[in-house]
Amino acid sequence: MADITRRQFLTVTGASLGGSSLALMGFSPSRALAEVREFKLARATEIRNTCPYCAVACGIVMYGLGDGSKNAKASIIHIEGDPDHPVNRGTLCPKGAGLLDFVHSPSRLTQPQYRAADSDHWQPIAWDDALDRVAKLLKQDRDANFIAKNADGLTVNRWLTTGMLAASASSNEVGYLTHKVIRSLGILSFDNQARV
Ligand code: SF4
């Protein structure tokens, strides 16, 4: 290493400090000082949702590409706990923290599946067709099995041959409406994933 005098040392360090200070004030002429890394979520779209895995129903924020740019392919790129959600206050357990893999899993079902009688495989069908089929089968079963009066002649209005399992990732309002619809049909077997 070359010998330097005290004067040379002070000159060099003084110049370095001066350069750093100017750069901090915004006068840096070069890109040598690291640029501020672009925040990867800066242009993402935020959507609030609920973790679908368990009865805790933690709130999540999903960040998607899809800010309107023509060349941006819509995709969820990040999921984290919702800090404003009263249940989890931004936290997620390991299952919830892995939701991004669930969203992009190639085996994830994204539309209803139908298996015809005597068939050995499932086939995708449209949502409208699936809902029509569910409604039709429910009516058939209710018409055939509805019990208006019990053996003593008392009005009971029961429908015991169909049950309902509701998801826990619903708001109180949706849960209330679901309960009303199911009970008004006469269904007694009604449970919720929140008990799982
Ligand atoms: S993040 Fe974990 S605790 Fe919260 S709802 Fe999802 S699975 Fe349940």
Side-chain angles (χ1 to χ4, degrees):
M1 181 177 162
D3 291 337
I4 59 172
T5 66
R6 181 170 178 275
R7 174 181 285 274
Q8 287 169 326
F9 174 77
L10 289 175
T11 302
V12 170
T13 53
S16 301
L17 281 172
S20 301
S21 304
L22 284 172
L24 288 173
M25 288 190 288
F27 294 113
S28 174
S30 76
R31 294 163 61 94
L33 279 179
E35 289 179 78
V36 176
R37 194 157 59 97
E38 191 175 347
F39 187 40
K40 76 173 182 177
L41 305 180
R43 298 189 59 197
T45 306
E46 280 184 38
I47 305 165
R48 291 201 144 74
N49 213 313
T50 309
C51 174
Y53 277 132
C54 90
V56 179
C58 296
I60 58 175
V61 184
M62 305 169 78
Y63 295 86
L65 286 181
D67 59 356
S69 308
K70 286 203 163 67
N71 58 354
K73 186 173 172 229
S75 177
I76 302 294
I77 57 168
H78 180 73
I79 297 177
E80 63 188 29
D82 183 350
D84 295 326
H85 199 281
V87 168
N88 54 316
R89 297 283 187 207
T91 61
L92 290 176
C93 81
K95 275 183 82 172
L99 273 173
L100 194 60
D101 292 336
F102 164 66
V103 169
H104 293 301
S105 168
S107 59
R108 176 179 161 228
L109 290 180
T110 55
Q111 61 185 112
Q113 306 285 309
Y114 167 67
R115 194 179 72 176
D118 298 326
S119 171
D120 63 353
H121 68 277
W122 295 85
Q123 62 192 67
I125 58 171
W127 282 100
D128 281 349
D129 293 341
L131 288 171
D132 285 349
R133 182 169 168 75
V134 168
K136 188 172 148 197
L137 292 175
L138 283 174
K139 177 155 185 0
Q140 274 177 7
D141 188 64
R142 189 170 186 272
D143 288 349
N145 298 295
F146 188 74
I147 303 167
K149 294 187 184 295
N150 67 9
D152 297 329
L154 292 172
T155 300
V156 289
N157 290 335
R158 291 175 187 151
W159 178 15
L160 303 178
T161 49
T162 286
M164 170 79 181
L165 178 63
S168 63
S170 305
S171 62
N172 283 347
E173 291 75 16
V174 172
Y176 177 83
L177 286 175
T178 306
H179 191 273
K180 280 282 187 192
V181 170
I182 295 305
R183 291 293 188 234
S184 66
L185 288 170
I187 292 177
L188 294 190
S189 305
F190 179 33
D191 210 340
N192 191 287
Q193 184 202 353
R195 285 165 44 98
V196 172

